[in-house]
Amino acid sequence: VHRRTIAKNDNYLNAVGDLGQMKITEINQQIIDNLRVRLKENYHDSTIQSILSFVKGTIKYASEKHKLQCEYIDISKDIKKQKKTQLNFYTLNEFEKFYACVTDLVYKTLFDLLFYNGLRISEARGLTWADYDGSHITIDKQYYKAQGLDRSLKTNNSYRTVPLNSRLIQEFNELKEYYSTFPSFSESWHVFGGLKPYAETSIRCAMKKAQKA
């Protein structure tokens, strides 16, 4: 089992809280519905779907392996996929309208990069200033909450150097100039956050805020 999978499952266990300590036969629809409500307060819809799928798979595996009689549980109830929560689902005009609603330079640069260069959020969070040469960025790592920087990308093709358009170059330069005003600044600082990258939840909150504007 890949260590990223182990870390992801550990995060799911933390998310479900006390449910993770319950016996399979004690779990019923009301408990799942309460969990769903609690998760909606703290997680993005796609993450909730993944957590509930993890719960469903765990219940199914345990009940089949140990021949347990469990109550039927509708894990997918009321889960709706939100449209356009990922920037690569926008048309160019839609993205430019979204971009105009973002005021923070860090987030403007980040969302610009995600849209025009197709990076994963984890790849963008892993970028440091050492990866920027003035016109290109080198992608050779990701950043996850569980284990921090991780240089094992998804495929060999994920390791790449990509050019930036003129607007992104200007944004990167302005952002680096801002970071350079800090006495402790170094090339090892993260492009999107400084000493530590912005949390993915913060990024998604900024995305939702701009979408509602």
Side-chain angles (χ1 to χ4, degrees):
V1 180
H2 196 283
R3 61 193 179 93
R4 283 211 299 266
T5 301
I6 296 174
K8 184 186 296 183
N9 289 345
D10 285 342
N11 288 338
Y12 291 163
L13 281 173
N14 289 333
V16 302
D18 293 340
L19 184 144
Q21 304 300 319
M22 295 180 66
K23 294 180 179 179
I24 295 294
T25 52
E26 295 175 342
I27 300 175
N28 55 38
Q29 187 67 53
Q30 185 61 54
I31 290 173
I32 294 298
D33 289 344
N34 291 342
L35 171 64
R36 184 183 291 108
V37 170
R38 181 168 60 81
L39 291 174
K40 284 184 177 181
E41 296 176 356
N42 300 292
Y43 296 94
H44 187 269
D45 279 1
S46 61
T47 304
I48 295 174
Q49 182 68 57
S50 297
I51 294 171
L52 293 179
S53 296
F54 167 75
V55 172
K56 179 179 181 179
T58 302
I59 293 174
K60 181 179 180 181
Y61 172 81
S63 60
E64 291 179 354
K65 182 175 179 62
H66 300 289
K67 296 181 172 56
L68 301 174
Q69 294 297 319
C70 301
E71 177 181 331
Y72 173 75
I73 295 173
D74 184 2
I75 298 290
S76 61
K77 180 182 177 183
D78 294 333
I79 291 292
K80 297 179 180 179
K81 294 183 178 179
Q82 288 188 340
K83 295 182 179 180
K84 296 176 183 175
T85 54
Q86 297 294 332
L87 295 181
N88 58 331
F89 292 159
Y90 281 124
T91 65
L92 179 59
N93 288 337
E94 288 172 333
F95 173 74
E96 290 299 332
K97 289 180 181 179
F98 163 85
Y99 175 85
C101 296
V102 183
T103 57
D104 183 274
L105 176 60
V106 178
Y107 284 124
K108 287 179 82 75
T109 309
L110 172 60
F111 296 148
D112 231 3
L113 184 67
L114 295 178
F115 180 78
Y116 282 105
N117 292 82
L119 271 70
R120 300 182 179 90
I121 290 180
S122 59
E123 292 174 336
R125 294 178 70 218
L127 286 175
T128 66
W129 287 107
D131 301 318
Y132 174 60
D133 68 359
S135 59
H136 296 72
I137 54 170
T138 299
I139 302 160
D140 60 3
K141 54 190 172 298
Q142 301 180 82
Y143 192 97
Y144 293 96
K145 179 180 178 181
Q147 68 262 34
L149 280 176
D150 183 358
R151 294 188 179 276
S152 56
L153 298 183
K154 194 169 184 179
T155 67
N156 288 334
N157 290 334
S158 297
Y159 296 87
R160 60 203 187 276
T161 297
V162 296
L164 303 179
N165 63 34
S166 57
R167 186 167 77 182
L168 270 165
I169 291 174
Q170 181 177 346
E171 290 168 340
F172 264 70
N173 289 341
E174 289 178 5
L175 196 53
K176 188 171 185 180
E177 183 178 352
Y178 164 72
Y179 282 127
S180 298
T181 62
F182 292 85
S184 59
F185 172 75
S186 74
E187 294 287 306
S188 65
W189 276 30
H190 291 272
V191 173
F192 303 109
L195 289 173
K196 287 187 177 181
Y198 281 176
E200 186 170 339
T201 51
S202 298
I203 294 170
R204 294 195 182 280
C205 283
M207 191 183 298
K208 285 184 176 181
K209 182 179 179 180
Q211 288 170 336
K212 293 177 180 178

